[in-house]
Amino acid sequence: GDSVTQMEGPVTLSEEACLTINCTYTATGYPSLFWYVQYPGEGLQLLLKATKADDKGSNKGFEATYRKETTSFHLEKGSVQVSDSAVYFCAGAGGTSYGKLTFGQGTILTVHP
Amino acid sequence: DTEVTQTPKHLVMGMTNKKSLKCEQHMGHRAMYWYKQKAKKPPELMFVYSYEKLSINESVPSRFSPECPNSSLLNLHLHALQPEDSALYLCASSQGGGGPYNEQFFGPGTRLTVL
């Protein structure tokens, strides 16, 4: 079946540090890939997405590029802020999982001033 | 309107109570989902409705009963729950039809506590 492998945390950074959270997806076919963010006490928000190889998703200073060769979708940000502290979930849809999102385990990010 | 709303925001219930969670979207989406999420874990899919018909039931206990009265509304009826059912219950919607693109929009969730 489909699976998402996401870098485990927690990740603790100082403000203005660089962030990379690794994510790879295993599936039959070429899934759409997503990053969702969940702030404390809230639901999930779509952060960015890519629907085909070489697509680059970006939002709020975050970026991720869909690498076809490795089905990877690593999340990056050049300079994190305290307000970026949240749980980040990588997810994929399509392939053999019709109508279903497959989530990674989530990465807890804490940014200190 | 690109919002999924959920009510109530918080719910505390005893093991013998009957309660319902409500979800609503007005984006014209034809697929709606219920997820259960434990703290700091990814959401676990419970049910999927596609075009108002139940298309996926992830072997959820019968004490959870979903209902889709129309294309904009999704309910989750709760009865005789256990303390381990305490969690954040998330609703989501998407355009539907599966295929290569399946962006789901999530509501803020209902925080359920079973005493």
Side-chain angles (χ1 to χ4, degrees):
Chain A
D2 297 355
S3 66
V4 174
T5 303
Q6 184 176 341
M7 183 179 89
E8 293 187 24
V11 175
T12 302
L13 296 172
S14 297
E15 205 164 26
E16 299 184 4
C18 294
L19 170 70
T20 300
I21 303 177
N22 292 335
C23 172
T24 57
Y25 187 94
T26 303
T28 303
Y30 300 103
S32 296
L33 299 174
F34 309 90
W35 277 100
Y36 284 88
V37 58
Q38 187 171 32
Y39 298 103
E42 298 185 11
L44 271 69
Q45 298 177 25
L46 180 66
L47 182 60
L48 50 83
K49 63 181 185 280
T51 58
K52 60 183 186 299
D54 299 324
D55 264 3
K56 184 176 186 177
S58 61
N59 186 25
K60 299 181 181 179
F62 291 90
E63 294 181 340
T65 300
Y66 189 153
R67 304 289 184 194
K68 177 181 175 181
E69 320 76 54
T70 54
T71 327
S72 64
F73 196 52
H74 305 323
L75 182 68
E76 298 176 325
K77 187 174 186 181
S79 176
V80 295
Q81 306 299 312
V82 172
S83 57
D84 293 327
S85 297
V87 184
Y88 293 81
F89 292 99
C90 184
T96 58
S97 300
Y98 180 90
K100 293 175 64 173
L101 270 177
T102 301
F103 285 95
Q105 285 304 301
T107 301
I108 301 170
L109 171 65
T110 303
V111 181
H112 292 298
Chain B
D1 185 358
T2 58
E3 192 179 41
V4 176
T5 59
Q6 290 187 244
T7 54
K9 192 172 177 64
H10 299 277
L11 178 63
V12 179
M13 60 186 291
M15 289 191 285
T16 58
N17 293 158
K18 285 186 180 180
K19 296 287 184 182
S20 296
L21 310 184
K22 180 180 175 181
C23 173
E24 194 165 3
Q25 58 88 14
H26 295 287
M27 294 179 277
H29 288 172
R30 303 314 299 267
M32 296 186 76
Y33 310 76
W34 279 116
Y35 289 87
K36 173 183 177 180
Q37 186 183 27
K38 291 285 200 179
K40 295 185 172 58
K41 295 293 186 182
E44 299 172 21
L45 183 65
M46 300 174 71
F47 302 103
V48 180
Y49 272 83
S50 179
Y51 292 84
E52 300 160 50
K53 293 191 187 310
L54 184 64
S55 62
I56 296 176
N57 177 340
E58 292 288 291
S59 302
V60 179
S62 60
R63 57 185 184 268
F64 295 92
S65 175
E67 178 197 20
C68 189
N70 60 57
S71 60
S72 300
L73 280 174
L74 185 66
N75 298 320
L76 185 63
H77 303 298
L78 314 172
H79 174 55
L81 294 193
Q82 304 297 311
E84 60 264 28
D85 297 322
S86 298
L88 181 68
Y89 287 83
L90 294 166
C91 175
S93 70
S94 69
Q95 287 184 315
Y101 182 72
N102 200 28
E103 178 179 342
Q104 293 184 21
F105 293 81
F106 284 81
T110 293
R111 175 89 42 204
L112 173 68
T113 303
V114 181
L115 301 177

